[in-house]
Amino acid sequence: LQSDTVVAFEFNASGFNPTPAVSLTGDTIDASFGSIKASPNGKYIGYASNFGLAIGRISLLNFNNETGYVDSSLFWSSSEVTGPYGIEFSGNSKVMYVSDGWDGTNQSIVQYNVSDFNLANVSTSEYLVASGVSFGQLQMGPDQKIYLSSQGAVGLPTLDSFLHRINEPEILGIGCNYEQNAVFLNGRTANLGLPPFISSYFNTDLS
């Protein structure tokens, strides 16, 4: 399924509003393979998609969480992440991470500085966090760290008995502190997916 349309429905104290806010992004979004995430502050929507072509597409949408409309959109491709699959934001919503799926050439994970919503600034801020691992989904945990599933090493599309972790996702560059095989799954295995959570929940103090 390919479309340039984003449809948003409102949930509020009164319940579900069946009338959607419909936005045209200006570029085709492929919904057959990839991930979509909202930033914790609700201002961005990140989308990683692999069109089944040589290089997939990374999208960053400027979302108005009061009206439900996408105000503007950025789209680009990466030579490091040729098969974008997983995507996640840091807790402060200023840094975005994108991973290669098994279709990717380099099987890498990259970091972007999204504090300035500008295509040139975002795309050129790309930092290679790690490579050589068939990364899957990315998911922020309640500890504000980002966890990554994988299928193992390049050329070995096998299940992995570890999760990898970005310990300081709000820090740009090497300071993000990527840790390979950070969490042992006690004999169980992970594949490409992780349970999805709305990351903004982890910014709420329930004490």
Side-chain angles (χ1 to χ4, degrees), residues 51 55-58 75-81 84 112 123 126:
F51 292 113
I55 297 181
R57 188 68 62 86
I58 300 168
F75 303 92
W76 69 96
S77 296
S78 167
S79 60
E80 287 293 347
V81 177
Y112 293 100
S123 60
E126 181 180 87

Side-chain angles (χ1 to χ4, degrees), residues 96-160:
M96 185 174 76
Y97 294 84
V98 182
S99 70
D100 250 350
W102 66 82
D103 239 4
T105 302
N106 301 320
Q107 298 184 327
S108 304
I109 178 171
V110 295
Q111 175 199 78
Y112 293 100
N113 182 351
V114 297
S115 60
D116 179 16
F117 192 81
N118 174 280
L119 179 58
N121 292 345
V122 171
S123 60
T124 58
S125 72
E126 181 180 87
Y127 171 76
L128 177 62
V129 176
S131 62
V133 176
S134 182
F135 290 111
Q137 188 54 265
L138 288 71
Q139 177 60 55
M140 180 185 289
D143 56 3
Q144 302 287 301
K145 299 179 181 181
I146 294 177
Y147 293 83
L148 305 86
S149 60
S150 73
Q151 284 189 311
V154 173
L156 297 173
T158 56
L159 299 180
D160 202 335

Side-chain angles (χ1 to χ4, degrees), residues 1-3 29-32:
L1 176 63
Q2 296 184 357
S3 174
I29 296 175
D30 187 289
S32 60

